[in-house]
């Protein structure tokens, strides 16, 4: 719902219940947030489980609200999707993430991969491959250092147009990861129709893997699937040393989670990469 003039906005809002009213208020605030550059990206390290080195980061969106502090995407993304603001936000995230990865390279941090979440809504309505092409051209980031994270439903319910869009993204040399793997209602048949680079085991399986043998079995099965289909496997939500050790022993390739590092602003991410927090040019 979009209302322009103040008067229209008021009489319109009076007829709504509290939740709807809040959503409308947040939509207006979110619009302002874009203009005032209140959105920022935080970066969570991704680790190679063989040598425990940081190989990249996932970009996670934060709204730095002037009064309320940092707001996580769970709160405002639904409003962004509902209002269509997700298109503008998604494009901003993609460009910002590519530029950040280039700054890291220029600061001598090496070939760090940057993973970017793209909302299913955006795939349904836009040519994401064109946005990717522009972001790569503008930033001059080598395509293989960009990874697009999608949920399995995007591929599963994928209209032919969406699958074509995804193939175009991979043809550009960009990697594609399936996020929250194992939580969608899905068959695995889509893995045959569309080749991906990486599966991210959802954190719900990792959280209780030490006690719950069915979680451990599912994780083993996904790792086996990765080996047979030549896909990299990333475990999400790793919070404890025991989980990291178990995953490494099971042959999981990569991991991400609070144990290795929380999502953080670029400055802190860069600091965390250097042993004694020693100086690295740029940030
Ligand atoms: P996701 O893509 O599955 O991201 C992982 C979420 O788990 C993040 O929450 C992250 O902060 C959190 N997390 C990471 N490690 C751990 C851990 O060890 N334990 C626990 N309990 N949680 C951990 P966040 O940042 O609140 O993001 C929530 C969701 O919002 C994301 O889930 C993603 O679906 C969406 N999102 C975030 N940024 C973007 C974005 O730029 N664009 C789009 N379209 N969606 C985004
Ligand atoms: Ca993700
Ligand atoms: Ca995930
Ligand atoms: Ca998720």
């Amino acid at each position: 719902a979009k209302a322009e003039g103040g008067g229209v906005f008021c009489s319109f809002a009076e007829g709504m219940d509290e939740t709807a009213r809040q959503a409308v208020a947040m939509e207006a605030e979110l619009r302002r947030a874009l203009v005032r550059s209140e959105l920022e990206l935080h970066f969570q390290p991704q680790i190679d489980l063989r040598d425990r080195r940081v190989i990249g980061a996932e970009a996670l969106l934060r709204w730095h609200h002037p009064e309320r502090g940092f707001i996580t995407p769970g709160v405002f993304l639904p409003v962004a999707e509902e209002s269509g603001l997700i298109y503008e936000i998604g494009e901003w995230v993609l460009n910002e993430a590519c530029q950040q990865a280039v700054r890291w390279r220029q600061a001598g941090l090496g070939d760090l991969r940057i993973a970017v979440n793209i909302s299913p809504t955006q795939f349904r309505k836009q040519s994401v491959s064109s946005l990717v092409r522009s972001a790569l051209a503008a930033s001059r980031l080598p395509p293989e250092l960009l990874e697009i994270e999608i949920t399995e439903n995007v591929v599963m319910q994928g209209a032919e147009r969406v699958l074509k869009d995804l193939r175009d993204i991979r043809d550009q040399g960009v990697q594609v990861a399936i996020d929250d793997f194992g939580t969608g209602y899905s068959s695995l048949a889509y893995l045959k129709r569309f080749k991906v680079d990486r599966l991210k085991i959802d954190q719900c399986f990792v959280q209780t893997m030490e006690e719950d043998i069915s979680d451990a079995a599912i994780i083993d099965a996904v790792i086996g699937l990765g080996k047979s289909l030549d896909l990299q496997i990333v475990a999400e939500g790793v919070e404890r040393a025991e989980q990291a050790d178990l995953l490494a022993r099971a042959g999981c390739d990569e991991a991400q989670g609070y144990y290795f590092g929380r999502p953080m602003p670029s400055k802190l991410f860069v600091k965390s990469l250097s042993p004694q927090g020693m100086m690295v040019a740029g940030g």
Side-chain angles (χ1 to χ4, degrees), residues 23-235:
V24 169
M26 188 181 277
E27 181 184 333
E29 277 201 82
L30 197 50
R31 233 173 254 287
R32 241 181 355 246
L34 273 162
V35 178
R36 296 181 186 168
S37 314
E38 289 168 10
L39 296 184
E40 49 180 269
L41 291 181
H42 283 190
F43 302 91
Q44 185 176 36
Q46 297 184 319
I47 274 69
D48 185 330
L49 275 176
R50 280 162 311 185
D51 55 14
R52 304 273 168 131
R53 283 163 62 104
V54 176
I55 45 174
E58 177 176 2
L60 293 158
L61 188 58
R62 298 290 180 265
W63 176 2
H64 198 175
H65 193 281
E67 287 109 42
R68 287 189 274 166
F70 283 113
I71 306 179
T72 51
V75 177
F76 64 89
L77 273 183
V79 173
E81 308 242 355
E82 192 65 33
S83 60
L85 284 171
I86 189 67
Y87 305 122
E88 201 178 325
I89 292 175
E91 195 173 345
W92 178 84
V93 168
L94 192 55
N95 282 298
E96 182 74 11
C98 289
Q99 282 164 24
Q100 188 55 256
V102 166
R103 268 179 250 134
W104 291 336
R105 272 166 77 77
Q106 288 167 346
L109 298 175
D111 285 348
L112 292 171
R113 185 178 74 215
I114 185 81
V116 175
N117 295 283
I118 303 281
S119 137
T121 314
Q122 214 168 349
F123 269 100
R124 274 196 293 274
K125 287 275 173 57
Q126 281 186 310
S127 162
V128 177
S129 58
S130 309
L131 298 179
V132 165
R133 194 169 279 111
S134 313
L136 289 175
S139 64
R140 317 202 60 178
L141 179 71
E144 65 275 12
L145 294 183
L146 175 62
E147 180 161 84
I148 298 297
E149 293 195 4
I150 58 175
T151 50
E152 37 196 359
N153 296 347
V154 170
V155 199
M156 272 286 293
Q157 309 161 347
E160 201 41 51
R161 192 191 60 74
V162 174
L163 289 179
K164 234 181 110 197
D165 202 21
L166 282 168
R167 285 197 195 96
D168 183 348
I169 290 173
R170 279 197 92 238
D171 287 345
Q172 294 178 52
V174 171
Q175 308 196 42
V176 174
I178 304 287
D179 203 355
D180 306 341
F181 185 75
T183 60
Y185 81 101
S186 73
S187 82
L188 293 173
Y190 72 85
L191 290 174
K192 241 173 60 175
R193 283 191 295 146
F194 174 66
K195 174 89 177 89
V196 300
D197 301 278
R198 208 167 261 101
L199 303 178
K200 299 189 78 176
I201 302 178
D202 192 78
Q203 50 192 53
C204 71
F205 301 114
V206 176
Q207 252 143 34
T208 41
M209 66 179 286
E210 297 132 295
E211 308 88 74
D212 190 333
I213 51 169
S214 48
D215 281 339
I218 289 169
I219 289 173
D220 276 340
V222 176
I223 292 169
L225 189 67
K227 295 258 182 298
S228 334
L229 297 182
D230 192 25
L231 306 169
Q232 297 285 112
I233 306 298
V234 192

